[in-house]
Amino acid sequence: MTLDPTDKKLLLLLQTDSKRTTKELSLKLNLSVTAVYERIKKLEREKIIDKYVILLNKSKVDKGFVVFCHLKLIQHSQEFLTKFETEVVKLSEVLECFHVSGDYDYILKVVVKDMQAYREFLVSKLTTLQHIGSTQSTFMISEVKNTTVLAV
């Protein structure tokens, strides 16, 4: 599917506030409510719109301690990678997990209450996973930019 300028503007509006009504969107886009509704349904069908979510304020829900954990596996076999990935997705503290190139195999974004909670997570959950060779943790000092908006 090729996105026209109106689709792109609609996607930007929805990404910044997905609770906008089709009526509000129609006024911003100079389209009828029906036209906006049909465009949204088409974008959903085509999987350009993947899902709708709410974003929580991490500090307000006692998850303001953000850690980037770099991991090395002991071996890079398909079996080890698959097993690790299957297990790490089950950890609720891990918001994001990336298989990367370079010195480490994976980078995890972990959110917990505080340093003590991270230590507990590290000792009782993360390092109990099989095939982990080493970890290195980097702690967030401040959040300079955090967006979910993709420019299309």
Side-chain angles (χ1 to χ4, degrees), residues 51-98:
K51 61 184 157 183
Y52 297 88
V53 299
I54 62 167
L55 302 174
L56 302 180
N57 179 323
K58 291 183 284 298
S59 297
K60 299 273 185 183
V61 293
D62 274 345
K63 302 289 181 182
F65 194 73
V66 180
V67 184
F68 298 95
C69 182
H70 299 71
L71 281 158
K72 281 186 188 179
L73 299 183
I74 57 173
Q75 197 177 61
H76 298 101
S77 70
Q78 183 67 41
E79 175 192 347
F80 284 21
L81 296 174
T82 302
K83 178 69 172 155
F84 171 76
E85 290 174 6
T86 301
E87 293 302 315
V88 79
V89 297
K90 296 175 188 174
L91 301 174
S92 61
E93 296 88 350
V94 177
L95 291 189
E96 300 175 48
C97 175
F98 301 98

